[in-house]
PDB file of all heavy atoms in Angstrom:
ATOM      1  N   ARG A 212     -10.471  13.627  -2.795  1.00 93.00           N
ATOM      2  CA  ARG A 212      -9.398  12.967  -3.544  1.00 93.00           C
ATOM      3  C   ARG A 212      -9.914  11.725  -4.274  1.00 93.00           C
ATOM      4  O   ARG A 212      -9.333  11.301  -5.273  1.00 93.00           O
ATOM      5  CB  ARG A 212      -8.233  12.635  -2.610  1.00 93.00           C
ATOM      6  CG  ARG A 212      -7.434  13.876  -2.213  1.00 93.00           C
ATOM      7  CD  ARG A 212      -6.172  13.538  -1.479  1.00 93.00           C
ATOM      8  NE  ARG A 212      -6.401  13.168  -0.096  1.00 93.00           N
ATOM      9  CZ  ARG A 212      -6.557  14.022   0.913  1.00 93.00           C
ATOM     10  NH1 ARG A 212      -6.524  15.323   0.681  1.00 93.00           N
ATOM     11  NH2 ARG A 212      -6.743  13.590   2.145  1.00 93.00           N
ATOM     12  N   VAL A 213     -11.010  11.147  -3.783  1.00 94.00           N
ATOM     13  CA  VAL A 213     -11.630  10.037  -4.511  1.00 94.00           C
ATOM     14  C   VAL A 213     -12.162  10.534  -5.849  1.00 94.00           C
ATOM     15  O   VAL A 213     -11.977   9.889  -6.883  1.00 94.00           O
ATOM     16  CB  VAL A 213     -12.762   9.396  -3.690  1.00 94.00           C
ATOM     17  CG1 VAL A 213     -13.521   8.367  -4.524  1.00 94.00           C
ATOM     18  CG2 VAL A 213     -12.201   8.741  -2.430  1.00 94.00           C
ATOM     19  N   TRP A 214     -12.819  11.702  -5.843  1.00 91.00           N
ATOM     20  CA  TRP A 214     -13.342  12.231  -7.104  1.00 91.00           C
ATOM     21  C   TRP A 214     -12.190  12.594  -8.043  1.00 91.00           C
ATOM     22  O   TRP A 214     -12.299  12.409  -9.260  1.00 91.00           O
ATOM     23  CB  TRP A 214     -14.235  13.438  -6.848  1.00 91.00           C
ATOM     24  CG  TRP A 214     -15.208  13.258  -5.729  1.00 91.00           C
ATOM     25  CD1 TRP A 214     -15.503  14.153  -4.737  1.00 91.00           C
ATOM     26  CD2 TRP A 214     -16.041  12.106  -5.457  1.00 91.00           C
ATOM     27  NE1 TRP A 214     -16.432  13.638  -3.878  1.00 91.00           N
ATOM     28  CE2 TRP A 214     -16.786  12.388  -4.293  1.00 91.00           C
ATOM     29  CE3 TRP A 214     -16.212  10.882  -6.090  1.00 91.00           C
ATOM     30  CZ2 TRP A 214     -17.687  11.479  -3.758  1.00 91.00           C
ATOM     31  CZ3 TRP A 214     -17.107   9.969  -5.550  1.00 91.00           C
ATOM     32  CH2 TRP A 214     -17.836  10.276  -4.399  1.00 91.00           C
ATOM     33  N   GLN A 215     -11.088  13.102  -7.481  1.00 94.00           N
ATOM     34  CA  GLN A 215      -9.923  13.412  -8.299  1.00 94.00           C
ATOM     35  C   GLN A 215      -9.355  12.133  -8.922  1.00 94.00           C
ATOM     36  O   GLN A 215      -9.065  12.075 -10.122  1.00 94.00           O
ATOM     37  CB  GLN A 215      -8.856  14.103  -7.449  1.00 94.00           C
ATOM     38  CG  GLN A 215      -7.627  14.539  -8.240  1.00 94.00           C
ATOM     39  CD  GLN A 215      -6.598  15.224  -7.348  1.00 94.00           C
ATOM     40  OE1 GLN A 215      -6.852  15.486  -6.170  1.00 94.00           O
ATOM     41  NE2 GLN A 215      -5.436  15.506  -7.914  1.00 94.00           N
ATOM     42  N   ALA A 216      -9.219  11.098  -8.115  1.00 95.00           N
ATOM     43  CA  ALA A 216      -8.704   9.821  -8.614  1.00 95.00           C
ATOM     44  C   ALA A 216      -9.650   9.206  -9.639  1.00 95.00           C
ATOM     45  O   ALA A 216      -9.211   8.598 -10.623  1.00 95.00           O
ATOM     46  CB  ALA A 216      -8.474   8.862  -7.452  1.00 95.00           C
ATOM     47  N   MET A 217     -10.945   9.361  -9.414  1.00 94.00           N
ATOM     48  CA  MET A 217     -11.932   8.838 -10.354  1.00 94.00           C
ATOM     49  C   MET A 217     -11.722   9.437 -11.737  1.00 94.00           C
ATOM     50  O   MET A 217     -11.809   8.737 -12.754  1.00 94.00           O
ATOM     51  CB  MET A 217     -13.343   9.139  -9.840  1.00 94.00           C
ATOM     52  CG  MET A 217     -14.474   8.574 -10.678  1.00 94.00           C
ATOM     53  SD  MET A 217     -16.085   8.865  -9.887  1.00 94.00           S
ATOM     54  CE  MET A 217     -16.202  10.662 -10.036  1.00 94.00           C
ATOM     55  N   GLY A 218     -11.429  10.729 -11.785  1.00 94.00           N
ATOM     56  CA  GLY A 218     -11.158  11.376 -13.060  1.00 94.00           C
ATOM     57  C   GLY A 218      -9.898  10.843 -13.712  1.00 94.00           C
ATOM     58  O   GLY A 218      -9.862  10.606 -14.933  1.00 94.00           O
ATOM     59  N   LEU A 219      -8.863  10.610 -12.913  1.00 95.00           N
ATOM     60  CA  LEU A 219      -7.610  10.080 -13.455  1.00 95.00           C
ATOM     61  C   LEU A 219      -7.802   8.674 -14.007  1.00 95.00           C
ATOM     62  O   LEU A 219      -7.278   8.334 -15.076  1.00 95.00           O
ATOM     63  CB  LEU A 219      -6.540  10.066 -12.355  1.00 95.00           C
ATOM     64  CG  LEU A 219      -6.101  11.435 -11.826  1.00 95.00           C
ATOM     65  CD1 LEU A 219      -5.165  11.272 -10.628  1.00 95.00           C
ATOM     66  CD2 LEU A 219      -5.423  12.252 -12.935  1.00 95.00           C
ATOM     67  N   VAL A 220      -8.575   7.857 -13.290  1.00 95.00           N
ATOM     68  CA  VAL A 220      -8.843   6.494 -13.751  1.00 95.00           C
ATOM     69  C   VAL A 220      -9.670   6.525 -15.032  1.00 95.00           C
ATOM     70  O   VAL A 220      -9.411   5.776 -15.982  1.00 95.00           O
ATOM     71  CB  VAL A 220      -9.565   5.687 -12.652  1.00 95.00           C
ATOM     72  CG1 VAL A 220     -10.074   4.351 -13.198  1.00 95.00           C
ATOM     73  CG2 VAL A 220      -8.635   5.457 -11.469  1.00 95.00           C
ATOM     74  N   GLY A 221     -10.663   7.399 -15.063  1.00 94.00           N
ATOM     75  CA  GLY A 221     -11.501   7.496 -16.255  1.00 94.00           C
ATOM     76  C   GLY A 221     -10.710   7.875 -17.491  1.00 94.00           C
ATOM     77  O   GLY A 221     -10.891   7.283 -18.568  1.00 94.00           O
ATOM     78  N   ILE A 222      -9.814   8.844 -17.340  1.00 94.00           N
ATOM     79  CA  ILE A 222      -9.000   9.279 -18.480  1.00 94.00           C
ATOM     80  C   ILE A 222      -8.041   8.176 -18.914  1.00 94.00           C
ATOM     81  O   ILE A 222      -7.905   7.871 -20.104  1.00 94.00           O
ATOM     82  CB  ILE A 222      -8.220  10.553 -18.102  1.00 94.00           C
ATOM     83  CG1 ILE A 222      -9.195  11.734 -17.920  1.00 94.00           C
ATOM     84  CG2 ILE A 222      -7.177  10.876 -19.166  1.00 94.00           C
ATOM     85  CD1 ILE A 222      -8.554  12.972 -17.338  1.00 94.00           C
ATOM     86  N   ALA A 223      -7.395   7.541 -17.940  1.00 94.00           N
ATOM     87  CA  ALA A 223      -6.378   6.532 -18.257  1.00 94.00           C
ATOM     88  C   ALA A 223      -6.974   5.283 -18.902  1.00 94.00           C
ATOM     89  O   ALA A 223      -6.360   4.681 -19.796  1.00 94.00           O
ATOM     90  CB  ALA A 223      -5.615   6.152 -16.987  1.00 94.00           C
ATOM     91  N   LEU A 224      -8.171   4.885 -18.456  1.00 93.00           N
ATOM     92  CA  LEU A 224      -8.755   3.634 -18.919  1.00 93.00           C
ATOM     93  C   LEU A 224      -9.919   3.826 -19.884  1.00 93.00           C
ATOM     94  O   LEU A 224     -10.519   2.847 -20.334  1.00 93.00           O
ATOM     95  CB  LEU A 224      -9.214   2.803 -17.717  1.00 93.00           C
ATOM     96  CG  LEU A 224      -8.129   2.450 -16.685  1.00 93.00           C
ATOM     97  CD1 LEU A 224      -8.715   1.602 -15.564  1.00 93.00           C
ATOM     98  CD2 LEU A 224      -6.954   1.743 -17.341  1.00 93.00           C
ATOM     99  N   GLY A 225     -10.240   5.081 -20.184  1.00 94.00           N
ATOM    100  CA  GLY A 225     -11.331   5.344 -21.109  1.00 94.00           C
ATOM    101  C   GLY A 225     -12.685   4.967 -20.546  1.00 94.00           C
ATOM    102  O   GLY A 225     -13.537   4.426 -21.261  1.00 94.00           O
ATOM    103  N   LEU A 226     -12.911   5.255 -19.260  1.00 93.00           N
ATOM    104  CA  LEU A 226     -14.146   4.879 -18.576  1.00 93.00           C
ATOM    105  C   LEU A 226     -14.959   6.110 -18.225  1.00 93.00           C
ATOM    106  O   LEU A 226     -14.399   7.190 -17.984  1.00 93.00           O
ATOM    107  CB  LEU A 226     -13.818   4.114 -17.289  1.00 93.00           C
ATOM    108  CG  LEU A 226     -12.998   2.834 -17.431  1.00 93.00           C
ATOM    109  CD1 LEU A 226     -12.662   2.278 -16.050  1.00 93.00           C
ATOM    110  CD2 LEU A 226     -13.745   1.797 -18.262  1.00 93.00           C
ATOM    111  N   ASP A 227     -16.281   5.954 -18.162  1.00 92.00           N
ATOM    112  CA  ASP A 227     -17.097   7.039 -17.642  1.00 92.00           C
ATOM    113  C   ASP A 227     -16.992   7.021 -16.118  1.00 92.00           C
ATOM    114  O   ASP A 227     -16.360   6.139 -15.522  1.00 92.00           O
ATOM    115  CB  ASP A 227     -18.543   6.944 -18.111  1.00 92.00           C
ATOM    116  CG  ASP A 227     -19.256   5.673 -17.659  1.00 92.00           C
ATOM    117  OD1 ASP A 227     -18.807   5.032 -16.688  1.00 92.00           O
ATOM    118  OD2 ASP A 227     -20.287   5.329 -18.278  1.00 92.00           O
ATOM    119  N   ALA A 228     -17.626   8.000 -15.481  1.00 90.00           N
ATOM    120  CA  ALA A 228     -17.461   8.161 -14.033  1.00 90.00           C
ATOM    121  C   ALA A 228     -17.928   6.938 -13.262  1.00 90.00           C
ATOM    122  O   ALA A 228     -17.258   6.479 -12.330  1.00 90.00           O
ATOM    123  CB  ALA A 228     -18.211   9.408 -13.563  1.00 90.00           C
ATOM    124  N   SER A 229     -19.089   6.382 -13.640  1.00 89.00           N
ATOM    125  CA  SER A 229     -19.626   5.249 -12.885  1.00 89.00           C
ATOM    126  C   SER A 229     -18.734   4.023 -13.018  1.00 89.00           C
ATOM    127  O   SER A 229     -18.509   3.293 -12.043  1.00 89.00           O
ATOM    128  CB  SER A 229     -21.053   4.936 -13.333  1.00 89.00           C
ATOM    129  OG  SER A 229     -21.085   4.591 -14.711  1.00 89.00           O
ATOM    130  N   ASP A 230     -18.182   3.780 -14.217  1.00 92.00           N
ATOM    131  CA  ASP A 230     -17.295   2.630 -14.390  1.00 92.00           C
ATOM    132  C   ASP A 230     -15.949   2.865 -13.712  1.00 92.00           C
ATOM    133  O   ASP A 230     -15.329   1.917 -13.211  1.00 92.00           O
ATOM    134  CB  ASP A 230     -17.090   2.332 -15.874  1.00 92.00           C
ATOM    135  CG  ASP A 230     -18.308   1.682 -16.511  1.00 92.00           C
ATOM    136  OD1 ASP A 230     -19.139   1.141 -15.761  1.00 92.00           O
ATOM    137  OD2 ASP A 230     -18.428   1.717 -17.744  1.00 92.00           O
ATOM    138  N   ALA A 231     -15.495   4.108 -13.690  1.00 93.00           N
ATOM    139  CA  ALA A 231     -14.222   4.405 -13.036  1.00 93.00           C
ATOM    140  C   ALA A 231     -14.316   4.154 -11.528  1.00 93.00           C
ATOM    141  O   ALA A 231     -13.424   3.531 -10.936  1.00 93.00           O
ATOM    142  CB  ALA A 231     -13.816   5.851 -13.307  1.00 93.00           C
ATOM    143  N   ILE A 232     -15.397   4.615 -10.895  1.00 92.00           N
ATOM    144  CA  ILE A 232     -15.527   4.398  -9.451  1.00 92.00           C
ATOM    145  C   ILE A 232     -15.784   2.920  -9.173  1.00 92.00           C
ATOM    146  O   ILE A 232     -15.321   2.377  -8.155  1.00 92.00           O
ATOM    147  CB  ILE A 232     -16.631   5.294  -8.849  1.00 92.00           C
ATOM    148  CG1 ILE A 232     -16.561   5.288  -7.327  1.00 92.00           C
ATOM    149  CG2 ILE A 232     -18.001   4.885  -9.315  1.00 92.00           C
ATOM    150  CD1 ILE A 232     -15.301   5.837  -6.740  1.00 92.00           C
ATOM    151  N   ALA A 233     -16.487   2.218 -10.065  1.00 91.00           N
ATOM    152  CA  ALA A 233     -16.701   0.785  -9.883  1.00 91.00           C
ATOM    153  C   ALA A 233     -15.379   0.027  -9.934  1.00 91.00           C
ATOM    154  O   ALA A 233     -15.159  -0.926  -9.175  1.00 91.00           O
ATOM    155  CB  ALA A 233     -17.660   0.255 -10.950  1.00 91.00           C
ATOM    156  N   THR A 234     -14.489   0.449 -10.817  1.00 93.00           N
ATOM    157  CA  THR A 234     -13.177  -0.181 -10.907  1.00 93.00           C
ATOM    158  C   THR A 234     -12.372   0.074  -9.645  1.00 93.00           C
ATOM    159  O   THR A 234     -11.698  -0.831  -9.120  1.00 93.00           O
ATOM    160  CB  THR A 234     -12.426   0.353 -12.139  1.00 93.00           C
ATOM    161  OG1 THR A 234     -13.153  -0.022 -13.321  1.00 93.00           O
ATOM    162  CG2 THR A 234     -11.016  -0.198 -12.220  1.00 93.00           C
ATOM    163  N   MET A 235     -12.426   1.290  -9.130  1.00 94.00           N
ATOM    164  CA  MET A 235     -11.729   1.603  -7.885  1.00 94.00           C
ATOM    165  C   MET A 235     -12.296   0.794  -6.726  1.00 94.00           C
ATOM    166  O   MET A 235     -11.555   0.305  -5.860  1.00 94.00           O
ATOM    167  CB  MET A 235     -11.819   3.105  -7.603  1.00 94.00           C
ATOM    168  CG  MET A 235     -11.032   3.962  -8.583  1.00 94.00           C
ATOM    169  SD  MET A 235     -11.423   5.734  -8.427  1.00 94.00           S
ATOM    170  CE  MET A 235     -10.883   6.075  -6.748  1.00 94.00           C
ATOM    171  N   ARG A 236     -13.613   0.636  -6.688  1.00 92.00           N
ATOM    172  CA  ARG A 236     -14.238  -0.141  -5.614  1.00 92.00           C
ATOM    173  C   ARG A 236     -13.829  -1.611  -5.700  1.00 92.00           C
ATOM    174  O   ARG A 236     -13.508  -2.240  -4.685  1.00 92.00           O
ATOM    175  CB  ARG A 236     -15.765  -0.010  -5.701  1.00 92.00           C
ATOM    176  CG  ARG A 236     -16.287   1.304  -5.156  1.00 92.00           C
ATOM    177  CD  ARG A 236     -17.771   1.463  -5.355  1.00 92.00           C
ATOM    178  NE  ARG A 236     -18.291   2.549  -4.533  1.00 92.00           N
ATOM    179  CZ  ARG A 236     -19.229   3.390  -4.913  1.00 92.00           C
ATOM    180  NH1 ARG A 236     -19.778   3.297  -6.128  1.00 92.00           N
ATOM    181  NH2 ARG A 236     -19.643   4.346  -4.090  1.00 92.00           N
ATOM    182  N   SER A 238     -11.156  -2.852  -6.968  1.00 92.00           N
ATOM    183  CA  SER A 238      -9.756  -2.971  -6.567  1.00 92.00           C
ATOM    184  C   SER A 238      -9.602  -2.875  -5.056  1.00 92.00           C
ATOM    185  O   SER A 238      -8.853  -3.639  -4.433  1.00 92.00           O
ATOM    186  CB  SER A 238      -8.923  -1.878  -7.252  1.00 92.00           C
ATOM    187  OG  SER A 238      -7.550  -2.019  -6.951  1.00 92.00           O
ATOM    188  N   VAL A 249      -7.273   3.719  -1.683  1.00 95.00           N
ATOM    189  CA  VAL A 249      -6.862   3.505  -3.068  1.00 95.00           C
ATOM    190  C   VAL A 249      -6.718   4.846  -3.784  1.00 95.00           C
ATOM    191  O   VAL A 249      -5.744   5.079  -4.528  1.00 95.00           O
ATOM    192  CB  VAL A 249      -7.866   2.597  -3.790  1.00 95.00           C
ATOM    193  CG1 VAL A 249      -7.590   2.540  -5.304  1.00 95.00           C
ATOM    194  CG2 VAL A 249      -7.828   1.190  -3.204  1.00 95.00           C
ATOM    195  N   ALA A 250      -7.671   5.738  -3.555  1.00 95.00           N
ATOM    196  CA  ALA A 250      -7.625   7.054  -4.186  1.00 95.00           C
ATOM    197  C   ALA A 250      -6.401   7.843  -3.746  1.00 95.00           C
ATOM    198  O   ALA A 250      -5.751   8.517  -4.562  1.00 95.00           O
ATOM    199  CB  ALA A 250      -8.895   7.838  -3.861  1.00 95.00           C
ATOM    200  N   ILE A 253      -3.523   6.653  -5.765  1.00 96.00           N
ATOM    201  CA  ILE A 253      -3.577   7.080  -7.162  1.00 96.00           C
ATOM    202  C   ILE A 253      -3.170   8.541  -7.296  1.00 96.00           C
ATOM    203  O   ILE A 253      -2.338   8.901  -8.138  1.00 96.00           O
ATOM    204  CB  ILE A 253      -4.987   6.852  -7.735  1.00 96.00           C
ATOM    205  CG1 ILE A 253      -5.291   5.351  -7.828  1.00 96.00           C
ATOM    206  CG2 ILE A 253      -5.116   7.506  -9.119  1.00 96.00           C
ATOM    207  CD1 ILE A 253      -6.731   5.039  -8.185  1.00 96.00           C
ATOM    208  N   VAL A 254      -3.736   9.394  -6.455  1.00 96.00           N
ATOM    209  CA  VAL A 254      -3.437  10.824  -6.529  1.00 96.00           C
ATOM    210  C   VAL A 254      -1.965  11.093  -6.217  1.00 96.00           C
ATOM    211  O   VAL A 254      -1.333  11.960  -6.820  1.00 96.00           O
ATOM    212  CB  VAL A 254      -4.352  11.619  -5.565  1.00 96.00           C
ATOM    213  CG1 VAL A 254      -3.931  13.068  -5.480  1.00 96.00           C
ATOM    214  CG2 VAL A 254      -5.810  11.520  -6.036  1.00 96.00           C
ATOM    215  N   LEU A 258       0.137   4.428  -7.094  1.00 93.00           N
ATOM    216  CA  LEU A 258      -0.630   3.408  -7.793  1.00 93.00           C
ATOM    217  C   LEU A 258      -1.097   3.996  -9.115  1.00 93.00           C
ATOM    218  O   LEU A 258      -1.666   5.091  -9.137  1.00 93.00           O
ATOM    219  CB  LEU A 258      -1.835   2.976  -6.944  1.00 93.00           C
ATOM    220  CG  LEU A 258      -2.789   1.939  -7.522  1.00 93.00           C
ATOM    221  CD1 LEU A 258      -2.082   0.596  -7.690  1.00 93.00           C
ATOM    222  CD2 LEU A 258      -4.013   1.779  -6.605  1.00 93.00           C
ATOM    223  N   VAL A 259      -0.834   3.293 -10.200  1.00 93.00           N
ATOM    224  CA  VAL A 259      -1.274   3.788 -11.510  1.00 93.00           C
ATOM    225  C   VAL A 259      -2.564   3.077 -11.891  1.00 93.00           C
ATOM    226  O   VAL A 259      -2.783   1.913 -11.520  1.00 93.00           O
ATOM    227  CB  VAL A 259      -0.191   3.567 -12.587  1.00 93.00           C
ATOM    228  CG1 VAL A 259       1.066   4.341 -12.237  1.00 93.00           C
ATOM    229  CG2 VAL A 259       0.123   2.096 -12.765  1.00 93.00           C
ATOM    230  N   PRO A 260      -3.447   3.749 -12.616  1.00 92.00           N
ATOM    231  CA  PRO A 260      -4.742   3.156 -12.948  1.00 92.00           C
ATOM    232  C   PRO A 260      -4.635   1.788 -13.620  1.00 92.00           C
ATOM    233  O   PRO A 260      -5.491   0.922 -13.410  1.00 92.00           O
ATOM    234  CB  PRO A 260      -5.376   4.194 -13.867  1.00 92.00           C
ATOM    235  CG  PRO A 260      -4.815   5.487 -13.371  1.00 92.00           C
ATOM    236  CD  PRO A 260      -3.388   5.171 -13.009  1.00 92.00           C
ATOM    237  N   ALA A 261      -3.606   1.570 -14.416  1.00 89.00           N
ATOM    238  CA  ALA A 261      -3.474   0.291 -15.117  1.00 89.00           C
ATOM    239  C   ALA A 261      -3.306  -0.875 -14.150  1.00 89.00           C
ATOM    240  O   ALA A 261      -3.534  -2.036 -14.523  1.00 89.00           O
ATOM    241  CB  ALA A 261      -2.287   0.340 -16.078  1.00 89.00           C
ATOM    242  N   GLU A 262      -2.914  -0.595 -12.915  1.00 86.00           N
ATOM    243  CA  GLU A 262      -2.717  -1.646 -11.923  1.00 86.00           C
ATOM    244  C   GLU A 262      -3.998  -2.001 -11.171  1.00 86.00           C
ATOM    245  O   GLU A 262      -4.009  -2.943 -10.377  1.00 86.00           O
ATOM    246  CB  GLU A 262      -1.645  -1.226 -10.907  1.00 86.00           C
ATOM    247  CG  GLU A 262      -0.266  -1.037 -11.530  1.00 86.00           C
ATOM    248  CD  GLU A 262       0.726  -0.450 -10.551  1.00 86.00           C
ATOM    249  OE1 GLU A 262       0.290   0.137  -9.536  1.00 86.00           O
ATOM    250  OE2 GLU A 262       1.935  -0.573 -10.798  1.00 86.00           O
ATOM    251  N   LEU A 263      -5.064  -1.253 -11.416  1.00 88.00           N
ATOM    252  CA  LEU A 263      -6.327  -1.535 -10.733  1.00 88.00           C
ATOM    253  C   LEU A 263      -6.967  -2.789 -11.298  1.00 88.00           C
ATOM    254  O   LEU A 263      -6.890  -3.061 -12.496  1.00 88.00           O
ATOM    255  CB  LEU A 263      -7.302  -0.359 -10.892  1.00 88.00           C
ATOM    256  CG  LEU A 263      -6.915   0.961 -10.239  1.00 88.00           C
ATOM    257  CD1 LEU A 263      -7.949   2.017 -10.587  1.00 88.00           C
ATOM    258  CD2 LEU A 263      -6.789   0.807  -8.738  1.00 88.00           C
ATOM    259  N   ARG A 264      -7.604  -3.526 -10.414  1.00 64.00           N
ATOM    260  CA  ARG A 264      -8.396  -4.673 -10.863  1.00 64.00           C
ATOM    261  C   ARG A 264      -9.650  -4.162 -11.534  1.00 64.00           C
ATOM    262  O   ARG A 264     -10.358  -3.297 -11.001  1.00 64.00           O
ATOM    263  CB  ARG A 264      -8.761  -5.551  -9.668  1.00 64.00           C
ATOM    264  CG  ARG A 264      -9.683  -6.706 -10.025  1.00 64.00           C
ATOM    265  CD  ARG A 264      -9.997  -7.544  -8.801  1.00 64.00           C
ATOM    266  NE  ARG A 264     -10.993  -8.558  -9.101  1.00 64.00           N
ATOM    267  CZ  ARG A 264     -11.397  -9.456  -8.222  1.00 64.00           C
ATOM    268  NH1 ARG A 264     -10.896  -9.457  -6.996  1.00 64.00           N
ATOM    269  NH2 ARG A 264     -12.310 -10.355  -8.552  1.00 64.00           N
ATOM    270  N   ALA A 265      -9.950  -4.675 -12.712  1.00 57.00           N
ATOM    271  CA  ALA A 265     -11.129  -4.197 -13.453  1.00 57.00           C
ATOM    272  C   ALA A 265     -12.395  -4.576 -12.726  1.00 57.00           C
ATOM    273  O   ALA A 265     -12.485  -5.618 -12.067  1.00 57.00           O
ATOM    274  CB  ALA A 265     -11.133  -4.801 -14.852  1.00 57.00           C
ATOM    275  N   ALA A 266     -13.398  -3.708 -12.829  1.00 51.00           N
ATOM    276  CA  ALA A 266     -14.694  -3.987 -12.215  1.00 51.00           C
ATOM    277  C   ALA A 266     -15.385  -5.110 -12.989  1.00 51.00           C
ATOM    278  O   ALA A 266     -15.209  -5.266 -14.193  1.00 51.00           O
ATOM    279  CB  ALA A 266     -15.562  -2.729 -12.245  1.00 51.00           C
TER     280      ALA A 266
END
Side-chain angles (χ1 to χ4, degrees):
R212 286 189 283 278
V213 172
W214 315 135
Q215 183 180 353
M217 184 175 68
L219 295 173
V220 170
I222 292 171
L224 302 181
L226 301 175
D227 61 20
S229 61
D230 286 341
I232 192 63
T234 297
M235 292 169 63
R236 282 175 165 142
S238 184
V249 171
I253 293 171
V254 172
L258 178 65
V259 298
E262 296 172 341
L263 295 176
R264 175 180 174 177

